[in-house]
Amino acid sequence: MTNNVQKTNYPALYTLIVVFFFWGFIAAGNNIFIPFCKEYFHLDQFQSQLIDFSFYTAYYLGGLLLFTFGMLRGKDLVTFWGYRKSIIFGLLFSALGAGAMILAVEANVYIGMLCGLFIMALGFSLQQTAANPFAILLGDPKTGASRVNLGGGINSLGTTIGPLIVAFALFGTTAAVNDEQIKTLSLDKVVLLYSCVGFLFIAAACLFYFSKKLPDGKSTEPIEKSTKALTTLIIMTVLLFLSLVPVFQTYKSVENDKVIQIEKQINSKNEEVKSLSYVDSIKLENLQSEIATLKTDLQTIKVPLENKRMMWLAIALFVVLGSLASAYFRSRNKTEGWGAMQYPQLLLGMIALFMYVGVEVAIGSNLGELLKTPDFGSLQASEITPYVSMYWGSMMIGRWAGAISAFQFSANKKRLLTILMPFIAFSVIIAANTLANYDMSQLYFYVICVVIQIVAFFVSKDKPVRTLVVFSAFGILALLVGLNTTGTVAIYAFLSGGLACSIMWPSIFNLALMGLGKYTAQGSAFLVMMILGGGIIPPIQGKLADMIGIHWSYLISLVCFIYILFYAIIVKKVLQKQGISVEESNN
């Protein structure tokens, strides 16, 4: 009897999972760049979060461009080119972004670095669209989910190691570089880092190009027409651009120049106070009076300016949520022309994924600024690396445990591995940071939070709705604890946001795509576009931090978890109305 089982192309798979590693490595490494750039380029918290804005909006725009061109040509570009060729194009585009980063770093231009990250992420957008289905083609379709989960596990390993390597490139082997010293650091190692990254992008592209045994993954099937969905997305993009432009313009305004000037005067006066002899009480009193007057003048100008910025950012958020809500109600009346957007589970899921990526990125991106405050340790930018690594490592802890369900293990073995894998992943994070000469003693007891996550896994029972309910509730509880405490307890609580987020992506995807039939691929593309949340939510939290402080800015993250809980509850009812059972479905 002939064995027709398709063998896995392991050399191609190993090359592909390197691509998965890149996504996590660069994304998590940005969390080290954010506090560094804030000090190095003298930015406020909102401006520092533009790193996330540039990186994650590229995913959205890349997906929108692919969808738009596909609609115009009547064919999906990724399947028309083929998965292999699409990944090659994406890798070369990311290599171009790495080159742009090198030029920007050499010139010490922050906007140039943002452009480099944007170009790199555009390449990632194309790679990510093609990589998951390509992984399924590299072997037996029945084991395709295992290969995708392997890629996800390697992606999480990249998020754990990325902060360590980027920190080394920025700060060298010195354990603590104070924030004043950051302004004088050389960026030669950053140039070397992105030279290596660019080389690896090109090398991976060459491996894909010259390998003759790889499937092309081409398809000539016509794309499902969705003119109303496309129109909605284009209008949303234009309105989003128009609402963000005024925010950026305020940083070139006369009011902003006055704010900068007054802040410099205040800093100068404070330095003068420090240099005074303790006996010179009269001059000290005069300086303190001058500082108080300057602070009053500063607030008079700054408060209205910050309120204006926050108003426009709120409008940008409303544009995204309002556009999707509008599509939700309009598509109820007439489904023709809406394509995948005619399904409420998808539209509500798009918002859920927007919130999910937003909260996942925002917690980590603002973590560095939080840890610099007295209530959270007064750490220098160079000392936050192990905490950022642990936050993104929390994603790995959850995903390694979540990947177990994709394998054909016995029930007892699954239960055992669900307990063991989180501890193994936790040990990997501790070991990696210890090898990088970071003191991890402050994070040993974080294992308690890992135990709570393990309990959450057993409660959720691999059911997508229950998983979202349990883990969003976990996130809400963690944020409430973090907002109402300080010190180690609060740090552990905010880090636990990573544990809560770790398993949400597949559950949201699964539920949003249920019952879409021929529109499943299109719905998947719409969901990937909602990575946009990582570009919108963090800057909004950053601006809120400029106004009310970094600690309470995490209210934004709390709201995101609350919506995900709402989605988990409402989507079950939506699917049941369509006659779709969700209790039998697993992640």
Side-chain angles (χ1 to χ4, degrees):
M1 183 175 179
T2 305
N3 187 357
N4 293 321
V5 175
Q6 183 181 348
K7 293 183 179 180
T8 300
N9 187 332
Y10 285 107
L13 179 62
Y14 297 149
T15 304
L16 182 63
I17 61 176
V18 171
V19 176
F20 280 81
F21 179 87
F22 283 145
W23 304 338
F25 175 89
I26 299 296
N30 288 344
N31 287 177
I32 303 299
F33 263 115
I34 287 170
F36 172 84
C37 288
K38 182 177 180 180
E39 298 300 329
Y40 193 84
F41 293 106
H42 311 287
L43 310 173
D44 64 20
Q45 189 64 10
F46 166 78
Q47 289 172 304
S48 70
Q49 295 297 309
L50 293 180
I51 288 176
D52 282 335
F53 173 80
S54 300
F55 190 77
Y56 290 100
T57 53
Y59 274 90
Y60 168 71
L61 291 174
L64 180 59
L65 287 172
L66 285 174
F67 179 58
T68 302
F69 288 130
M71 288 286 291
L72 293 174
R73 291 172 58 96
K75 296 177 182 178
D76 178 68
L77 286 187
V78 172
T79 55
F80 178 74
W81 291 332
Y83 296 135
R84 183 175 72 146
K85 190 174 288 186
S86 295
I87 291 173
I88 292 171
F89 290 158
L91 286 166
L92 293 176
F93 216 83
S94 293
L96 183 64
M101 275 290 289
I102 292 169
L103 294 175
V105 170
E106 288 278 20
N108 277 0
V109 179
Y110 182 57
I111 294 177
M113 292 174 65
L114 298 181
C115 291
L117 286 171
F118 179 84
I119 297 169
M120 200 180 306
L122 276 177
F124 286 177
S125 175
L126 183 53
Q127 293 166 41
Q128 191 154 334
T129 303
N132 288 336
F134 191 66
I136 294 172
L137 281 179
L138 294 179
D140 186 350
K142 293 180 181 179
T143 58
S146 300
R147 291 189 290 278
V148 173
N149 276 293
L150 175 63
I154 298 300
N155 174 271
S156 295
L157 183 63
T159 65
T160 303
I161 296 175
L164 300 177
I165 296 178
V166 172
F168 176 77
L170 292 173
F171 309 117
T173 56
T174 306
V177 177
N178 67 49
D179 291 348
E180 285 300 317
Q181 290 175 313
I182 283 177
K183 297 164 187 174
T184 61
L185 287 176
S186 169
L187 299 183
D188 291 344
K189 288 181 181 176
V190 178
V191 172
L192 178 61
L193 170 66
Y194 278 97
S195 297
C196 292
V197 167
F199 171 78
L200 290 173
F201 285 143
I202 295 172
C206 289
L207 284 173
F208 276 103
Y209 181 78
F210 289 109
S211 178
K212 302 300 182 184
K213 295 182 179 180
L214 291 180
D216 289 326
K218 290 186 177 182
S219 174
T220 57
E221 292 184 9
I223 195 171
E224 297 293 340
K225 293 294 183 180
S226 307
T227 52
K228 292 180 181 177
L230 177 60
T231 301
T232 298
L233 290 171
I234 290 175
I235 292 174
M236 183 183 84
T237 305
V238 172
L239 292 176
L240 189 60
F241 174 78
L242 292 176
S243 60
L244 290 173
V245 166
V247 182
F248 300 135
Q249 286 180 333
T250 61
Y251 283 93
K252 298 179 180 179
S253 65
V254 174
E255 291 84 356
N256 191 67
D257 291 340
K258 288 181 180 178
V259 167
I260 294 173
Q261 184 180 3
I262 294 173
E263 286 177 339
K264 286 181 178 178
Q265 289 176 337
I266 291 173
N267 291 334
S268 176
K269 298 290 182 184
N270 283 328
E271 290 298 321
E272 199 173 342
V273 166
K274 291 178 184 178
S275 65
L276 279 178
S277 171
Y278 68 93
V279 295
D280 200 348
S281 58
I282 295 176
K283 189 171 183 180
L284 177 62
E285 185 177 338
N286 289 336
L287 283 171
Q288 289 174 336
S289 177
E290 290 174 13
I291 292 171
T293 301
L294 286 170
K295 286 183 176 180
T296 301
D297 294 340
L298 178 64
Q299 291 303 307
T300 302
I301 301 171
K302 192 172 183 178
V303 170
L305 187 61
E306 295 287 37
N307 288 339
K308 181 180 179 181
R309 289 166 176 165
M310 195 66 198
M311 178 193 72
W312 282 108
L313 287 170
I315 290 173
L317 180 61
F318 176 78
V319 164
V320 176
L321 302 183
S323 296
L324 295 177
S326 172
Y328 176 87
F329 290 109
R330 288 163 58 206
S331 62
R332 299 285 70 73
N333 300 323
K334 190 175 181 180
T335 60
E336 184 181 353
W338 284 103
M341 282 192 184
Q342 67 186 270
Y343 295 93
Q345 62 266 38
L346 176 73
L347 282 165
L348 294 171
M350 289 171 70
I351 298 175
L353 205 75
F354 177 88
M355 294 293 189
Y356 158 74
V357 179
V359 67
E360 175 187 270
V361 176
I363 292 175
S365 296
N366 287 282
L367 188 61
E369 186 66 16
L370 182 76
L371 295 172
K372 289 165 68 175
T373 62
D375 287 339
F376 290 86
S378 299
L379 302 184
Q380 302 294 322
S382 61
E383 297 175 307
I384 68 166
T385 301
Y387 295 91
V388 173
S389 178
M390 182 60 76
Y391 172 73
W392 287 103
S394 295
M395 303 288 180
M396 182 175 74
I397 292 169
R399 287 169 184 167
W400 282 18
I404 293 168
S405 62
F407 297 90
Q408 299 302 314
F409 295 127
S410 66
N412 287 334
K413 187 172 287 187
K414 279 187 178 181
R415 282 193 287 268
L416 179 61
L417 288 173
T418 300
I419 295 171
L420 291 179
M421 288 306 294
F423 290 115
I424 293 172
F426 178 74
S427 300
V428 168
I429 301 164
I430 294 292
N433 281 271
T434 301
L435 287 173
N437 293 322
Y438 288 106
D439 179 11
M440 298 299 288
S441 59
Q442 295 294 322
L443 290 168
Y444 289 157
F445 289 103
Y446 182 64
V447 73
I448 297 171
C449 301
V450 176
V451 172
I452 295 173
Q453 188 200 45
I454 294 171
V455 173
F457 269 113
F458 283 106
V459 174
S460 62
K461 296 183 178 179
D462 285 339
K463 307 294 184 182
V465 170
R466 187 179 295 188
T467 295
L468 274 191
V469 168
V470 170
F471 280 83
S472 58
F474 181 17
I476 290 169
L477 179 62
L479 265 292
L480 287 173
V481 172
L483 285 166
N484 289 283
T485 58
T486 57
T488 302
V489 171
I491 292 172
Y492 281 13
F494 287 126
L495 291 177
S496 293
L499 295 173
C501 287
S502 63
I503 200 65
M504 286 183 176
W505 175 283
S507 295
I508 295 172
F509 244 82
N510 190 348
L511 292 167
L513 295 179
M514 279 186 182
L516 266 62
K518 65 180 181 179
Y519 293 108
T520 299
Q522 189 181 97
S524 178
F526 288 156
L527 287 169
V528 171
M529 287 183 201
M530 290 301 100
I531 291 176
L532 174 68
I536 301 298
I537 300 294
I540 289 177
Q541 182 173 342
K543 181 46 61 188
L544 192 62
D546 289 331
M547 297 174 69
I548 66 172
I550 187 64
H551 189 183
W552 284 102
S553 73
Y554 276 87
L555 284 167
I556 295 289
S557 298
L558 177 63
V559 171
C560 291
F561 278 126
I562 290 172
Y563 176 81
I564 295 170
L565 177 59
F566 163 78
Y567 175 70
I569 295 170
I570 198 69
V571 73
K572 182 177 181 180
K573 297 178 181 178
V574 168
L575 291 170
Q576 285 175 341
K577 283 183 179 180
Q578 298 174 19
I580 301 171
S581 174
V582 295
E583 290 302 324
E584 297 176 359
S585 299
N586 295 335
N587 288 333

